[in-house]
Amino acid sequence: MFYRENGQFKSTYASDQQMLPILQDRVVMFGLLAFAFVGMPFVASDYVFLSLLIPFLILTVAAIGLNLLVGYCGQISIGHASFMAVGAYAAYNLVLRVPQLNFLIVLVIAGLIAATLGMIFGVPSLRIKGLYLAVATLAAQFFTDWMFARVKWFTNYSGSGSVSSAPVELFGWRVDTPVEKYLFLLGVVIVFTLVAKNLVRGRIGREWMAMRDMDVAAEVIGIRPVYAKLTAFGVSAFYCGVAGALWGFLHLGSWEPLAFNLTLSLNLLFMIIIGGMGSILGSYFGAAFIVALPIILDQVPLWLGVPMSTAMASHLALMIFGALIVFFLIVEPNGLARLWAIGKDKLRLWPFPH
């Protein structure tokens, strides 16, 4: 009875179209944000920040970007870690060669560079789709792996091929401790989530979904495939470019080209499949699942008193990933986000059966 809409009337179009039209949802969301900003820094340890929360927030941005392309526009991509690599190396070179730039500006420029490359590799989507498009996007992964490993300018002529990021400073504030990194990333994730949510609710989002559902019919009613598909690739690559810069500067600290390999691209795809394609909330669920599962698998044997090697735990995580992908594709293609929506619908009806 506590999750009902009775008495919540909408008298204007704006109130009916708001992101959280139900009062209970708004109260819960504001409570979660208050706890995330105020309570979490006092509750969580440095290990939780560095191993769970910081990777989760960064991968959420990347998962939202991939979901905009795959879930909302229907263009399959299995090479999005390449755009994360472009963003990371672009940010590294910008900070190295133009140290006067504010880090927020560096993030935007790095994202724009990744978006440009994303639109270039999105050109094949104008002619091919499905598995053929997935293989074409895989070329971006191989190209960036080769480019950052062979062209020494990107790594400042480092002999080992690895680079180290400079400390992040914003308006005199040095983002150094785990808590400061977490708070900064939390603000970035909230902004990018709001932008993505408004994009998919607006005209461009409707164009993406029309192309996803039936591209021929969308073109007949006046939607331009070139504009819709390339903007989807551009916005998606922008999100992943920013996520790559954050991943390098605030999580890894130092990295090499293998840090953004094909495995990371596949993990991003697993996130939106398990979390839910075509759902911003599903990107959160998928990122949380991918980050938390390996850590949980490392700890469960200790809790149960069963010895398990690190290699065995890693292989078990891959097996569980594969099994869950098959499960969700067969039983619930819309992922954890759909299960969450079903649970909310049941709460609306509880305790009545109809």
Side-chain angles (χ1 to χ4, degrees), residues 114-342:
T116 303
L117 190 67
M119 287 189 287
I120 292 174
F121 281 97
V123 170
S125 67
L126 306 178
R127 293 293 182 182
I128 58 178
K129 57 184 178 180
L131 181 61
Y132 300 99
L133 177 60
V135 174
T137 58
L138 192 59
Q141 183 71 56
F142 295 145
F143 173 74
T144 55
D145 287 349
W146 172 86
M147 181 175 65
F148 294 127
R150 301 298 180 186
V151 182
K152 298 301 182 180
W153 183 86
F154 292 108
T155 59
N156 197 28
Y157 303 96
S158 171
S160 61
S162 62
V163 298
S164 298
S165 63
V168 176
E169 293 187 3
L170 296 170
F171 308 107
W173 171 42
R174 186 165 182 172
V175 184
D176 194 16
T177 66
V179 175
E180 291 172 341
K181 293 179 180 179
Y182 162 75
L183 292 175
F184 171 68
L185 289 172
L186 185 60
V188 171
V189 170
I190 291 173
V191 170
F192 274 73
T193 301
L194 291 174
V195 171
K197 191 67 176 177
N198 281 288
L199 278 176
V200 299
R201 282 155 34 100
R203 177 183 59 83
I204 189 171
R206 292 193 293 270
E207 290 182 356
W208 292 345
M209 288 182 278
M211 296 301 301
R212 174 197 64 190
D213 296 337
M214 188 173 291
D215 53 354
V216 176
E219 188 174 2
V220 168
I221 64 175
I223 294 175
R224 295 169 291 171
V226 175
Y227 176 80
K229 292 181 179 181
L230 291 186
T231 52
F233 268 96
V235 173
S236 177
F238 178 85
Y239 269 65
C240 286
V242 172
L246 296 172
W247 187 258
F249 275 74
L250 296 178
H251 179 57
L252 297 179
S254 61
W255 69 91
E256 56 184 4
L258 289 178
F260 302 95
N261 56 11
L262 182 59
T263 301
L264 182 57
S265 291
L266 294 177
N267 281 340
L268 292 177
L269 191 61
F270 296 162
M271 289 178 201
I272 64 172
I273 292 176
I274 295 175
M277 288 192 289
S279 168
I280 302 297
L281 181 61
S283 302
Y284 279 81
F285 286 150
F289 185 88
I290 292 293
V291 171
L293 181 61
I295 297 176
I296 292 175
L297 290 178
D298 287 338
Q299 298 299 323
V300 167
L302 298 177
W303 298 338
L304 300 178
V306 179
M308 182 180 296
S309 64
T310 303
M312 181 62 184
S314 176
H315 295 158
L316 187 61
L318 293 176
M319 294 168 61
I320 293 177
F321 287 158
L324 285 172
I325 289 172
V326 173
F327 171 79
F328 280 112
L329 289 176
I330 295 175
V331 178
E332 185 49 76
N334 293 321
L336 294 173
R338 178 56 185 164
L339 297 179
W340 175 262
I342 292 174

